[in-house]
Amino acid sequence: MTPRTESAPVPAPAPSDAPRDELLQSVVDVARAIFGAAASSVLLLDEEADELVFRAVSGEGQEFLVGRRFPAGRGIAGWVATSGEPMVVDDLAADPSFDRSLAESTAYVPNSLMAAPLISDARVLGVLEVLDASPQARSGVRELDLLAMFARQAAAALRVITPDPLAVASAGRALEGAQREDALRLLGSLEQVLRGTG
């Protein structure tokens, strides 16, 4: 019998993950629209494996990146997850913290990047990235502050849906009903605030 050489498919999310995945998809779709970006993604920290996992992607790479993992200490997303600080880089080619080989492995190499940690209860849950935002959307501290605020609110909504921090990146216990609606309402109101300030 010949061994199979094809790579293993990424498992479909468990039914209990659906509210979390819906929320995260809303986060990246809204972030991409607000900042006029080519792509946006949420990477969640899997503390046990010490990896960042693409959990939602909007735009470039959305067909194949969800579920991909890489070491938590690599690249700008790794730096943001480790430091807990947001970061904006206008020219990635000139930035030594940019891991070009990692970007090439995702089949999309951006020119610029904004990233903010998803923090809840003083704990980094992951990173929200906005890739190749329009130049006016990344022109200053105000825009990075908006992204950081959006990431904080997204993390709070994520914790409402998945209260166990260790379950956030794995197949966690997702809550239904009123708590899910509260989280999505929080995200919707934040979108209105951000669009009103743009």
Side-chain angles (χ1 to χ4, degrees), residues 21-195:
D21 292 341
E22 180 184 341
L23 171 71
L24 293 177
Q25 191 61 49
S26 296
V27 167
V28 295
D29 288 343
V30 170
R32 181 176 170 223
I34 287 170
F35 291 97
S40 179
S41 59
V42 165
L43 302 100
L44 294 183
L45 185 61
D46 181 338
E47 291 181 331
E48 289 181 8
D50 194 30
E51 292 176 325
L52 285 167
V53 185
F54 282 98
R55 295 307 309 176
V57 178
S58 179
E60 295 287 338
Q62 73 183 57
E63 304 83 20
F64 56 87
L65 279 177
V66 173
R68 290 225 21 213
R69 299 171 162 264
F70 64 90
R74 283 186 68 185
I76 290 174
W79 184 89
V80 170
T82 302
S83 69
E85 296 293 326
M87 183 176 196
V88 61
V89 181
D90 285 322
D91 182 5
L92 288 170
D95 191 285
S97 58
F98 179 57
D99 189 334
R100 187 171 187 83
S101 64
L102 181 62
E104 287 171 349
S105 77
T106 70
Y108 178 64
V109 180
N111 296 312
S112 65
L113 181 147
M114 298 170 68
L118 297 170
I119 297 176
S120 180
D121 296 332
R123 187 179 192 130
V124 175
L125 304 178
V127 177
L128 170 61
E129 288 187 328
V130 175
L131 309 174
D132 290 329
S134 66
Q136 60 271 26
R138 61 175 196 269
S139 58
V141 173
R142 179 177 165 273
E143 286 72 20
L144 190 58
D145 286 346
L146 282 176
L147 182 66
M149 179 179 72
F150 187 55
R152 281 193 302 276
Q153 294 304 314
L158 184 60
R159 285 297 289 267
V160 168
I161 286 182
T162 314
D164 178 2
L166 294 177
V168 169
S170 60
R173 299 182 316 239
L175 302 180
E176 299 289 341
Q179 287 182 314
R180 177 172 173 257
E181 292 306 315
D182 288 347
L184 293 173
R185 201 170 15 262
L186 175 64
L187 195 59
S189 62
L190 183 63
E191 176 184 4
Q192 290 175 346
V193 169
L194 291 178
R195 286 187 186 280

